[in-house]
Short mmCIF file of all heavy atoms in Angstrom, two decimals:
data_model
loop_
_atom_site.label_atom_id
_atom_site.label_comp_id
_atom_site.label_asym_id
_atom_site.label_seq_id
_atom_site.Cartn_x
_atom_site.Cartn_y
_atom_site.Cartn_z
N GLN Z 1 89.55 114.76 94.98
CA GLN Z 1 88.73 114.69 93.77
C GLN Z 1 87.59 113.68 93.94
O GLN Z 1 86.46 113.95 93.50
CB GLN Z 1 89.60 114.29 92.58
CG GLN Z 1 88.86 114.34 91.25
CD GLN Z 1 89.73 113.85 90.10
OE1 GLN Z 1 90.09 112.69 90.03
NE2 GLN Z 1 90.07 114.77 89.20
N ALA Z 2 87.87 112.54 94.58
CA ALA Z 2 86.81 111.54 94.77
C ALA Z 2 85.69 112.09 95.65
O ALA Z 2 84.50 111.88 95.35
CB ALA Z 2 87.41 110.28 95.41
N ARG Z 3 86.06 112.79 96.70
CA ARG Z 3 85.02 113.38 97.56
C ARG Z 3 84.20 114.41 96.79
O ARG Z 3 82.96 114.49 96.94
CB ARG Z 3 85.67 114.04 98.78
CG ARG Z 3 86.29 113.06 99.76
CD ARG Z 3 86.85 113.80 100.98
NE ARG Z 3 87.60 112.93 101.85
CZ ARG Z 3 87.08 112.15 102.78
NH1 ARG Z 3 85.75 112.15 102.96
NH2 ARG Z 3 87.84 111.40 103.56
N ALA Z 4 84.86 115.20 95.94
CA ALA Z 4 84.14 116.21 95.17
C ALA Z 4 83.21 115.57 94.15
O ALA Z 4 82.08 116.03 93.94
CB ALA Z 4 85.15 117.13 94.47
N ILE Z 5 83.68 114.49 93.49
CA ILE Z 5 82.82 113.79 92.53
C ILE Z 5 81.59 113.22 93.23
O ILE Z 5 80.46 113.33 92.73
CB ILE Z 5 83.61 112.66 91.83
CG1 ILE Z 5 84.67 113.27 90.90
CG2 ILE Z 5 82.68 111.74 91.05
CD1 ILE Z 5 85.61 112.24 90.29
N ALA Z 6 81.80 112.62 94.42
CA ALA Z 6 80.67 112.08 95.18
C ALA Z 6 79.70 113.19 95.57
O ALA Z 6 78.48 113.00 95.55
CB ALA Z 6 81.18 111.35 96.42
N GLN Z 7 80.24 114.38 95.89
CA GLN Z 7 79.38 115.50 96.26
C GLN Z 7 78.55 115.98 95.07
O GLN Z 7 77.36 116.30 95.20
CB GLN Z 7 80.23 116.65 96.80
CG GLN Z 7 79.47 117.95 97.06
CD GLN Z 7 78.32 117.77 98.05
OE1 GLN Z 7 78.31 116.83 98.84
NE2 GLN Z 7 77.35 118.68 97.98
N VAL Z 8 79.17 116.03 93.88
CA VAL Z 8 78.41 116.40 92.68
C VAL Z 8 77.26 115.43 92.45
O VAL Z 8 76.12 115.83 92.18
CB VAL Z 8 79.33 116.45 91.44
CG1 VAL Z 8 78.52 116.65 90.17
CG2 VAL Z 8 80.36 117.55 91.59
N SER Z 9 77.56 114.13 92.57
CA SER Z 9 76.51 113.14 92.37
C SER Z 9 75.40 113.28 93.40
O SER Z 9 74.21 113.17 93.08
CB SER Z 9 77.13 111.73 92.44
OG SER Z 9 76.14 110.73 92.29
N ARG Z 10 75.80 113.52 94.66
CA ARG Z 10 74.81 113.68 95.72
C ARG Z 10 73.95 114.92 95.46
O ARG Z 10 72.72 114.89 95.61
CB ARG Z 10 75.53 113.78 97.07
CG ARG Z 10 74.60 113.82 98.27
CD ARG Z 10 75.34 113.52 99.57
NE ARG Z 10 76.56 114.31 99.69
CZ ARG Z 10 77.79 113.78 99.69
NH1 ARG Z 10 77.95 112.48 99.56
NH2 ARG Z 10 78.85 114.55 99.82
N ALA Z 11 74.57 116.02 95.05
CA ALA Z 11 73.83 117.26 94.79
C ALA Z 11 72.89 117.11 93.61
O ALA Z 11 71.84 117.77 93.55
CB ALA Z 11 74.81 118.41 94.54
N ARG Z 12 73.25 116.24 92.66
CA ARG Z 12 72.39 116.01 91.50
C ARG Z 12 71.38 114.89 91.74
O ARG Z 12 70.72 114.44 90.81
CB ARG Z 12 73.24 115.63 90.28
CG ARG Z 12 74.23 116.69 89.83
CD ARG Z 12 73.55 117.95 89.40
NE ARG Z 12 74.45 118.87 88.72
CZ ARG Z 12 74.31 120.17 88.70
NH1 ARG Z 12 73.28 120.72 89.36
NH2 ARG Z 12 75.16 120.94 88.07
N GLY Z 13 71.29 114.44 92.99
CA GLY Z 13 70.33 113.38 93.31
C GLY Z 13 70.67 112.05 92.67
O GLY Z 13 69.78 111.23 92.43
N GLY Z 14 71.97 111.82 92.39
CA GLY Z 14 72.39 110.56 91.78
C GLY Z 14 71.98 110.41 90.34
O GLY Z 14 71.91 109.29 89.82
N ALA Z 15 71.73 111.52 89.65
CA ALA Z 15 71.29 111.46 88.26
C ALA Z 15 72.32 110.74 87.39
O ALA Z 15 73.54 110.91 87.58
CB ALA Z 15 71.06 112.87 87.72
N ARG Z 16 71.85 109.98 86.42
CA ARG Z 16 72.73 109.20 85.57
C ARG Z 16 73.60 110.09 84.69
O ARG Z 16 74.66 109.68 84.23
CB ARG Z 16 71.91 108.24 84.70
CG ARG Z 16 71.14 107.19 85.51
CD ARG Z 16 70.32 106.30 84.61
NE ARG Z 16 71.16 105.58 83.65
CZ ARG Z 16 70.66 104.77 82.72
NH1 ARG Z 16 69.35 104.59 82.62
NH2 ARG Z 16 71.48 104.15 81.88
N TRP Z 17 73.14 111.33 84.45
CA TRP Z 17 73.89 112.20 83.55
C TRP Z 17 75.03 112.95 84.24
O TRP Z 17 75.67 113.81 83.62
CB TRP Z 17 72.96 113.20 82.86
CG TRP Z 17 71.98 113.91 83.76
CD1 TRP Z 17 70.67 113.59 83.95
CD2 TRP Z 17 72.24 115.05 84.58
NE1 TRP Z 17 70.08 114.45 84.84
CE2 TRP Z 17 71.03 115.37 85.24
CE3 TRP Z 17 73.36 115.85 84.83
CZ2 TRP Z 17 70.92 116.44 86.13
CZ3 TRP Z 17 73.25 116.91 85.71
CH2 TRP Z 17 72.04 117.19 86.36
N VAL Z 18 75.30 112.62 85.51
CA VAL Z 18 76.44 113.24 86.19
C VAL Z 18 77.73 112.94 85.43
O VAL Z 18 78.63 113.79 85.31
CB VAL Z 18 76.53 112.76 87.64
CG1 VAL Z 18 77.87 113.16 88.26
CG2 VAL Z 18 75.39 113.33 88.46
N ALA Z 19 77.84 111.72 84.89
CA ALA Z 19 79.03 111.36 84.13
C ALA Z 19 79.18 112.25 82.90
O ALA Z 19 80.30 112.62 82.51
CB ALA Z 19 78.99 109.90 83.73
N ASP Z 20 78.05 112.59 82.26
CA ASP Z 20 78.11 113.46 81.09
C ASP Z 20 78.60 114.86 81.48
O ASP Z 20 79.31 115.52 80.72
CB ASP Z 20 76.73 113.57 80.44
CG ASP Z 20 76.25 112.22 79.92
OD1 ASP Z 20 76.69 111.82 78.83
OD2 ASP Z 20 75.44 111.58 80.61
N GLU Z 21 78.22 115.30 82.69
CA GLU Z 21 78.62 116.62 83.15
C GLU Z 21 80.11 116.68 83.49
O GLU Z 21 80.78 117.69 83.23
CB GLU Z 21 77.79 117.00 84.38
CG GLU Z 21 78.09 118.39 84.93
CD GLU Z 21 77.22 118.73 86.12
OE1 GLU Z 21 76.56 117.82 86.67
OE2 GLU Z 21 77.20 119.92 86.50
N LEU Z 22 80.63 115.59 84.05
CA LEU Z 22 82.01 115.60 84.52
C LEU Z 22 83.03 115.12 83.49
O LEU Z 22 84.21 115.45 83.59
CB LEU Z 22 82.14 114.74 85.78
CG LEU Z 22 81.42 115.25 87.03
CD1 LEU Z 22 81.57 114.25 88.17
CD2 LEU Z 22 81.97 116.61 87.45
N ALA Z 23 82.59 114.34 82.52
CA ALA Z 23 83.53 113.76 81.55
C ALA Z 23 84.40 114.80 80.86
O ALA Z 23 85.63 114.62 80.75
CB ALA Z 23 82.78 112.91 80.52
N PRO Z 24 83.83 115.92 80.37
CA PRO Z 24 84.71 116.91 79.71
C PRO Z 24 85.74 117.50 80.65
O PRO Z 24 86.86 117.84 80.22
CB PRO Z 24 83.72 117.98 79.23
CG PRO Z 24 82.39 117.30 79.17
CD PRO Z 24 82.41 116.31 80.30
N GLU Z 25 85.39 117.66 81.94
CA GLU Z 25 86.32 118.25 82.89
C GLU Z 25 87.42 117.27 83.29
O GLU Z 25 88.55 117.66 83.57
CB GLU Z 25 85.57 118.74 84.13
CG GLU Z 25 84.50 119.78 83.84
CD GLU Z 25 85.09 121.00 83.14
OE1 GLU Z 25 86.27 121.31 83.37
OE2 GLU Z 25 84.36 121.63 82.35
N LEU Z 26 87.08 115.98 83.34
CA LEU Z 26 88.07 114.96 83.69
C LEU Z 26 88.90 114.53 82.50
O LEU Z 26 89.88 113.79 82.66
CB LEU Z 26 87.36 113.73 84.30
CG LEU Z 26 86.72 113.93 85.67
CD1 LEU Z 26 85.92 112.70 86.06
CD2 LEU Z 26 87.79 114.22 86.72
N ARG Z 27 88.49 114.97 81.29
CA ARG Z 27 89.17 114.57 80.04
C ARG Z 27 89.12 113.05 79.87
O ARG Z 27 90.08 112.42 79.45
CB ARG Z 27 90.63 115.04 80.02
CG ARG Z 27 90.87 116.49 80.37
CD ARG Z 27 90.23 117.46 79.37
NE ARG Z 27 90.79 118.80 79.49
CZ ARG Z 27 90.29 119.77 80.27
NH1 ARG Z 27 89.23 119.50 81.03
NH2 ARG Z 27 90.84 120.96 80.31
N LEU Z 28 87.97 112.48 80.22
CA LEU Z 28 87.76 111.04 80.12
C LEU Z 28 86.51 110.76 79.31
O LEU Z 28 85.67 111.64 79.12
CB LEU Z 28 87.63 110.41 81.52
CG LEU Z 28 88.82 110.53 82.47
CD1 LEU Z 28 88.44 110.03 83.85
CD2 LEU Z 28 90.02 109.76 81.93
N SER Z 29 86.37 109.51 78.86
CA SER Z 29 85.15 109.14 78.16
C SER Z 29 83.99 109.09 79.16
O SER Z 29 84.20 109.01 80.38
CB SER Z 29 85.31 107.77 77.51
OG SER Z 29 85.40 106.76 78.50
N ARG Z 30 82.78 109.11 78.63
CA ARG Z 30 81.62 109.04 79.51
C ARG Z 30 81.61 107.73 80.30
O ARG Z 30 81.29 107.71 81.49
CB ARG Z 30 80.33 109.15 78.69
CG ARG Z 30 79.09 109.18 79.58
CD ARG Z 30 77.81 108.83 78.85
NE ARG Z 30 76.71 108.80 79.80
CZ ARG Z 30 76.45 107.78 80.62
NH1 ARG Z 30 77.25 106.73 80.62
NH2 ARG Z 30 75.42 107.83 81.46
N GLU Z 31 81.97 106.62 79.65
CA GLU Z 31 81.95 105.32 80.33
C GLU Z 31 82.98 105.28 81.45
O GLU Z 31 82.69 104.81 82.56
CB GLU Z 31 82.25 104.20 79.31
CG GLU Z 31 81.16 103.98 78.28
CD GLU Z 31 81.11 105.06 77.21
OE1 GLU Z 31 82.11 105.83 77.10
OE2 GLU Z 31 80.10 105.15 76.50
#
């Protein structure tokens, strides 16, 4: 999962909104 999260961030160019994209899937808060 950590490698996949890092890949999403890399594919999004390190955009700050990556957390907003993944939070619903991880069932976690944005922070």
Side-chain angles (χ1 to χ4, degrees):
Q1 186 183 67
R3 291 183 188 277
I5 291 173
Q7 173 59 21
V8 172
S9 178
R10 185 164 49 245
R12 298 298 191 207
R16 296 178 60 182
W17 47 261
V18 168
D20 297 281
E21 182 179 12
L22 293 177
E25 301 302 330
L26 291 173
R27 311 296 197 269
L28 298 172
S29 69
R30 184 199 176 281
E31 292 74 16

